[in-house]
């Protein structure tokens, strides 16, 4: 599988990092950080993006400002995409077809190619405009999957809560995982 992980500038960029590090090594990853995502990661976690994935051979990093990169073409052949976290700004651009960055351009390409796309909006509360944008995208076949907890798996720590959310995203992407206790 070839998977694009786009990271936009909403709170929770560290969850995207953990998601990427949890993906099996046999999956090829294409990762794009928005400028705001890099800023959020530094502010929330004191982490710089330049060295996060240096030891990962299955990851290719792209610059969000490079709208001519391979991800901007349907001929590059990516199977699935997740935007995690998905800021309200990125959500709005996706909903109306604005492709002014590599993240939004790659989204537009995936949409026209009818590929699987997940958006993980990370805002609270959701306003009417955001809800309308999510409905519009859902009607186009985009999966809207915000980081929401399911308490039936009895999480006892922040790590277990994050594993539940990541496991649910991996389930949607059809990536086998044992990250959380499943309902029996």
């Amino acid at each position: 599988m070839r998977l694009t992980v786009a990271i936009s500038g909403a709170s929770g960029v560290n969850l995207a990092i953990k998601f990427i590090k949890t993906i099996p090594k046999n999956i090829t990853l294409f990762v794009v950080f928005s400028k705001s995502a890099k800023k959020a990661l530094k502010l929330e976690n004191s982490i710089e993006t330049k060295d996060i994935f240096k030891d990962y051979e299955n990851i290719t990093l792209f610059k969000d400002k490079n709208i001519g990169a391979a991800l901007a073409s349907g001929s590059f052949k990516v199977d699935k995409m997740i935007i995690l976290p998905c800021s309200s700004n990125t959500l709005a651009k996706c909903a109306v077809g604005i492709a002014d960055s590599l993240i939004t351009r790659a989204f537009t390409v995936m949409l026209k190619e009818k590929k699987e796309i997940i958006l993980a909006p990370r805002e609270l509360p959701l306003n009417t405009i955001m809800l309308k944008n999510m409905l519009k995208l859902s009607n186009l076949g985009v999966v809207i999957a915000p980081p929401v907890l399911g308490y039936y798996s009895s999480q006892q720590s922040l790590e277990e809560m994050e594993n539940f959310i990541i496991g649910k995203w991996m389930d949607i992407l059809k990536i086998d995982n044992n990250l959380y206790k499943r309902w029996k």
Side-chain angles (χ1 to χ4, degrees), residues 24-177:
K25 303 293 184 241
N26 65 328
I27 294 176
T28 303
L29 295 174
F30 306 104
V31 177
V32 185
F33 283 90
S34 73
K35 183 178 178 182
S36 297
K38 291 177 183 180
K39 191 175 287 186
L41 189 62
K42 187 171 184 177
L43 289 171
E44 291 181 352
N45 305 96
S46 300
I47 297 173
E48 299 278 347
T49 57
K50 61 184 176 195
D51 295 324
I52 295 175
F53 304 118
K54 65 181 178 185
D55 298 328
Y56 291 78
E57 294 179 14
N58 64 324
I59 296 175
T60 303
L61 292 172
F62 289 91
K63 294 184 187 289
D64 192 33
K65 63 183 176 183
N66 184 4
I67 62 169
L71 295 176
S73 173
S75 66
F76 185 62
K77 297 290 184 194
V78 173
D79 301 305
K80 301 175 184 194
M81 178 179 193
I82 184 169
I83 302 179
L84 160 66
C86 183
S87 67
S88 57
N89 182 54
T90 301
L91 175 71
K93 288 180 178 184
C94 290
V96 297
I98 295 174
D100 63 349
S101 69
L102 184 56
I103 290 173
T104 55
R105 175 71 181 140
F107 171 86
T108 301
V109 167
M110 295 294 287
L111 191 63
K112 80 175 180 71
E113 298 287 327
K114 301 198 182 309
K115 302 289 178 120
E116 291 183 52
I117 306 168
I118 299 173
L119 298 186
R122 221 301 308 139
E123 297 290 338
L124 186 67
L126 300 170
N127 66 44
T128 303
I129 294 170
M130 294 165 64
L131 291 166
K132 285 181 179 182
N133 286 336
M134 286 184 232
L135 177 61
K136 182 177 181 179
L137 291 166
S138 179
N139 285 334
L140 294 172
V142 175
V143 175
I144 307 299
V148 176
L149 296 176
Y151 294 94
Y152 59 84
S153 64
S154 305
Q155 301 98 346
Q156 299 298 311
S157 68
L158 178 59
E159 182 178 1
E160 289 175 349
M161 291 177 200
E162 290 176 340
N163 284 344
F164 175 83
I165 294 165
I166 291 168
K168 295 297 283 184
W169 287 326
M170 290 175 72
D171 287 349
I172 295 166
L173 292 165
K174 296 172 187 67
I175 299 171
D176 288 333
N177 72 88

